[in-house]
Amino acid sequence: MSQQTPPTPPAAQPSPGVSEHASPAPSALLGKDVFSSDQTRLGKVEKVIAGADGKTSAIQIKTGGFLGFGGKMVSIPDSRIALRGENVQVQMTSEEVGKLPEVKDGM
């Protein structure tokens, strides 16, 4: 009898609809809905900050308002975001995002 080796498990694949963190293009993010890691809708991407290489370095969203009034603009670094289908997933809870400092105009 010959011995059979057990099958090798496939390499880990990202979940469907989730991009590997590869700095999404700025145009791919603008206007997309943003959700926290606890699945709270935070708002839409209002502005995309790109580095000198043209790659996304951060997104800015308006959070904490009601019906478009109030709230504050916050910046989330590229290292904390990922595309999930048609949305942006932030690797922070809604509470953590709410504690981010407000971004002033021109930043």
Side-chain angles (χ1 to χ4, degrees), residues 13-97:
Q13 298 293 320
S15 301
V18 178
S19 70
E20 287 292 312
H21 184 75
S23 194
S27 61
L29 297 173
L30 198 58
K32 291 201 177 285
D33 287 326
V34 180
F35 290 87
S36 65
S37 61
D38 56 0
Q39 302 308 309
T40 301
R41 184 180 179 280
L42 300 171
K44 289 189 179 285
V45 176
E46 300 281 335
K47 186 175 182 180
V48 179
I49 309 300
D53 59 2
K55 293 182 179 178
T56 301
S57 62
I59 61 170
Q60 291 182 356
I61 64 171
K62 191 170 189 178
T63 188
F66 182 72
L67 297 176
F69 297 99
K72 64 181 180 178
M73 189 75 72
V74 297
S75 183
I76 300 171
D78 176 56
S79 62
R80 303 298 296 265
I81 63 173
L83 285 176
R84 184 177 296 272
E86 291 297 313
N87 301 312
V88 174
Q89 177 76 45
V90 176
Q91 297 164 355
M92 300 171 75
T93 65
S94 55
E95 184 176 341
E96 290 171 324
V97 172

